[in-house]
Amino acid sequence: MKFISTRGNDTATGAQAIAQGIASDGGLFVPECFPEVSKEELERMLSMSYAERAATVLHKYLDDYDFDGLKEACEKAYAQFDEGDAAPLVKIDSSLYMLELFHGPTCAFKDLALTLLPYLLRKGCDICGVKEDVLILVATSGDTGKAALEGFKNAPGVKVMVFYPNEGVSKMQKLQMATQEGNNVCVVAVKSNFDACQSAVKEIFTSEDCKEELKKRGYILSSANSINFGRLAPQIAYYFSAYLDLVSSGQIEMGEKVNFAVPTGNFGNILAAYYAKRMGLPVGKLVCASNKNNVLTDFIRTGVYDRRREFYKTMSPSMDILISSNLERLLFELSGREPKRIALRMEKLKQEGVYEIYDEEKEALSELFYADYCGEDETVETIYEFFEEYQYPMDTHTACAMYAAANYMEKAKDHDTPMVVVSTASPYKFPQDVMYSLTGNDIKDSFKAIKHLNITTAMKVPKSLSGLRDKPVRFNIVADKDKLYAEVLKFAQPKK
Ligand SMILES: *Cc1c(COP(=O)(O)O)cnc(C)c1O
């Protein structure tokens, strides 16, 4: 399978697309076409393990990787999840399900891709004959950073550097990153928001000067953000797996449609659902849920993307984003794959902060997606009410998706199509906010909140979170947003 840039001026093999991370023209790599999965193939996948299903989906895009190698890597990656189940589906009532993607090493859905990306990247570099070490730069709104650090720690030939908004992540997320172990990692808090981190990293990626200087020092750059196709591909797999689980447990017939509701920030997770649909998975509506930063809700409802608005810090920080980079991949498809149109709009977004799509694109968009957003009060209410009714504790991000899903079902009078709400983080990652939602108690200390949350919900506490209490802080660098390249140069010392 060949990959092409959304802006028209770069092509790559799968291995190159992953090793490079972002296209040289500033666009994102997308597959030349969508590989089909037939009904017969879906039938065959029913009896497979999660790892085998994932390898099967991955190999359709990454046909320059050998299947057995992919399968072995998936088995290794997903063995790190609780009870070896990477994506369990939990039934709530007759047509409502939760797809729990938080049972990995860092308790958020990013683990599904980032436990596998080290293999995809190392193998990709081997296939391409890359001799240099790989320097991975990550901009994070909280969860990607930790998952990338954990996935790549001590990996030979790789260095990982993470930038997060100093005031824009939860206490738990900050502690997870600041205490990271490993001899090849660095964490920097940035005196700005996520969008600034992401822009600065993209800037370094596409600067010839930066690339040249780092090459002199013995490094090539790559990305562990969802702009890298290697992040996106493993995410497609869990939509397939959730569907297959519904069929194999007799909840639906093969071929019946299923809706998914996804808490959305950078549009990576929900884009993977769209890719699954394009590959032939019977997906109905995709519910795109935002928090108070509702730029995507407005876009899907009106066709105007306007980032000129106030940025809010919310209790679902991983969705506090005004520039959703993966939207570019969807726009590319909606436009009928017109790279010039995409390049113009992205330039307009950069210069003026706004662009508008054509009427036929708007129609296609609202056919595919339902969009809604969940304010802070609604987040609290949703967590509380859902626990009251079903004794099921949700994290703050998942609550946004649940809220949007309920609104969709009500408005569209669609109560019969199975709705799968994608649960992206463990409630223990945001223990204060979840505790406040459930009981009204404002607990200052994260570990006290974890303890109380455990008493209130009887849900098992992940060791990776409770164990943070005893770990020494290793990183306390704070940098201005225009000084990030200097930090990169400090970290990426020339190799002898
Ligand atoms: C990253 C993240 C999201 C947003 O996912 P995108 O792929 O960026 O849309 C939602 N919830 C949690 C918990 C996350 O970590």
Side-chain angles (χ1 to χ4, degrees):
M1 168 87 60
K2 217 175 87 181
F3 287 78
I4 53 178
S5 165
T6 49
R7 301 194 196 171
N9 288 314
D10 200 359
T11 62
T13 63
Q16 282 168 340
I18 291 175
Q20 218 174 300
I22 186 170
S24 58
D25 57 2
L28 306 186
F29 282 121
V30 291
E32 193 181 30
C33 62
F34 287 102
E36 295 268 336
V37 179
S38 65
K39 204 169 159 185
E40 292 68 42
E41 236 175 329
L42 278 178
E43 300 275 1
R44 276 202 298 281
M45 288 168 79
L46 280 172
S47 58
M48 292 181 184
S49 66
Y50 184 81
E52 273 178 292
R53 288 172 179 174
T56 304
V57 171
L58 282 166
H59 195 246
K60 298 215 167 259
Y61 290 100
L62 306 177
D63 51 10
D64 46 346
Y65 289 64
D66 71 285
F67 179 78
D68 290 339
L70 279 174
K71 189 168 147 244
E72 199 183 311
C74 288
E75 278 162 359
K76 254 197 188 148
Y78 299 132
Q80 298 170 50
F81 285 64
D82 288 348
E83 288 155 41
D85 195 353
L89 193 68
V90 176
K91 185 170 180 170
I92 301 292
D93 72 12
S94 59
S95 60
L96 184 64
Y97 303 83
M98 310 292 298
L99 177 59
E100 294 186 347
L101 301 179
F102 55 77
H103 295 287
T106 76
C107 306
F109 89 92
K110 309 295 198 293
D111 286 327
L112 273 291
L114 283 159
T115 49
L116 194 62
L117 191 62
Y119 172 82
L120 296 178
L121 192 70
R122 191 168 56 235
K123 185 82 186 175
C125 287
D126 290 349
I127 295 172
C128 300
V130 170
K131 297 275 184 297
E132 292 88 355
D133 279 7
V134 182
L135 173 61
I136 298 171
L137 301 183
V138 184
T140 185
S141 54
D143 291 330
T144 299
K146 176 62 186 180
L149 291 162
E150 200 55 34
F152 282 100
K153 76 171 176 212
N154 298 328
V158 179
K159 273 184 190 287
V160 187
M161 188 161 201
V162 169
F163 301 98
Y164 73 86
N166 193 25
E167 316 255 291
V169 301
S170 82
K171 280 186 191 169
M172 213 45 147
Q173 289 174 320
K174 196 172 220 176
L175 202 57
Q176 275 187 310
M177 291 188 276
T179 57
Q180 179 64 43
E181 294 165 359
N183 57 19
N184 61 338
V185 299
C186 183
V187 177
V188 178
V190 181
K191 286 189 228 162
S192 191
N193 61 25
F194 169 75
D195 291 313
C197 297
Q198 177 159 260
S199 299
V201 166
K202 261 190 164 181
E203 204 79 5
I204 297 173
F205 267 117
T206 43
S207 152
E208 288 306 321
D209 290 347
C210 298
K211 273 195 273 192
E212 202 168 303
E213 175 58 33
L214 287 163
K215 188 147 191 167
K216 255 198 272 170
R217 295 174 174 224
Y219 301 95
I220 67 152
L221 281 173
S222 191
S223 164
N225 281 102
S226 51
I227 53 174
N228 191 329
F229 188 76
R231 262 289 297 282
L232 206 54
Q235 295 177 180
I236 303 169
Y238 50 74
Y239 290 101
F240 275 89
S241 190
Y243 189 87
L244 294 164
D245 284 349
L246 284 170
V247 175
S248 62
S249 61
Q251 310 284 326
I252 59 167
E253 298 286 333
M254 181 67 89
E256 233 179 275
K257 282 200 169 146
V258 171
N259 300 328
F260 287 97
V262 188
T264 296
N266 225 352
F267 212 76
N269 198 352
I270 198 166
L271 185 78
Y274 167 78
Y275 273 37
K277 181 172 178 151
R278 291 294 304 267
M279 292 169 77
L281 193 72
V283 174
K285 211 64 162 183
L286 293 173
V287 176
C288 177
S290 300
N291 62 22
K292 198 174 174 191
N293 294 293
N294 60 357
V295 62
L296 281 169
T297 313
D298 288 348
F299 172 65
I300 291 172
R301 288 181 182 174
T302 66
V304 179
Y305 195 98
D306 191 348
R307 72 165 165 87
R308 299 168 304 178
R309 59 179 73 205
E310 196 174 335
F311 175 88
Y312 299 105
K313 279 199 309 182
T314 72
M315 60 180 99
S316 42
S318 301
M319 295 157 69
D320 289 346
I321 291 177
L322 292 181
I323 306 169
S324 286
S325 32
N326 269 295
L327 195 61
E328 181 167 348
R329 286 186 165 114
L330 180 71
L331 288 178
F332 184 69
E333 303 303 332
L334 292 176
S335 73
R337 304 195 141 209
E338 292 280 348
K340 281 209 187 78
R341 203 187 288 173
I342 304 307
L344 275 173
R345 284 179 186 158
M346 291 304 119
E347 192 53 30
K348 222 167 159 272
L349 181 64
K350 196 170 170 186
Q351 300 303 334
E352 297 160 41
V354 58
Y355 63 81
E356 181 168 8
I357 58 173
Y358 298 150
D359 285 343
E360 59 275 21
E361 294 170 308
K362 279 181 213 175
E363 268 164 46
L365 188 63
S366 50
E367 186 60 36
L368 288 161
F369 296 90
Y370 168 82
D372 216 326
Y373 72 98
C374 181
E376 295 289 90
D377 292 346
E378 289 81 5
T379 305
V380 169
E381 269 164 40
T382 303
I383 294 172
Y384 174 77
E385 281 168 12
F386 208 73
F387 188 71
E388 282 290 292
E389 191 161 354
Y390 301 105
Q391 288 73 53
Y392 185 93
M394 274 185 294
D395 102 288
T396 46
H397 303 74
T398 308
C400 293
M402 182 56 72
Y403 176 84
N407 280 357
Y408 163 74
M409 290 190 274
E410 204 51 48
K411 276 190 199 155
K413 301 204 171 23
D414 183 0
H415 294 280
D416 298 328
T417 313
M419 173 65 79
V420 176
V421 174
V422 178
S423 179
T424 49
S426 163
Y428 286 111
K429 236 181 153 165
F430 307 92
Q432 284 105 328
D433 290 321
V434 176
M435 256 325 268
Y436 176 75
S437 305
L438 293 178
T439 65
N441 293 340
D442 214 348
I443 304 171
K444 290 278 172 295
D445 180 78
S446 300
F447 297 100
K448 236 186 217 161
I450 284 184
K451 204 171 137 200
H452 283 281
L453 189 53
N454 176 251
I455 294 167
T456 308
T457 66
M459 187 186 186
K460 210 172 134 212
V461 182
K463 282 213 179 59
S464 58
L465 295 179
S466 55
L468 288 175
R469 179 178 210 149
D470 307 317
K471 286 201 166 169
V473 168
R474 292 186 65 209
F475 300 100
N476 49 19
I477 308 168
V478 182
D480 285 326
K481 71 173 194 257
D482 45 7
K483 299 270 161 54
L484 302 193
Y485 183 51
E487 292 298 329
V488 172
L489 292 181
K490 269 190 233 165
F491 179 54
Q493 292 295 330
K495 290 197 301 163
K496 284 159 268 179

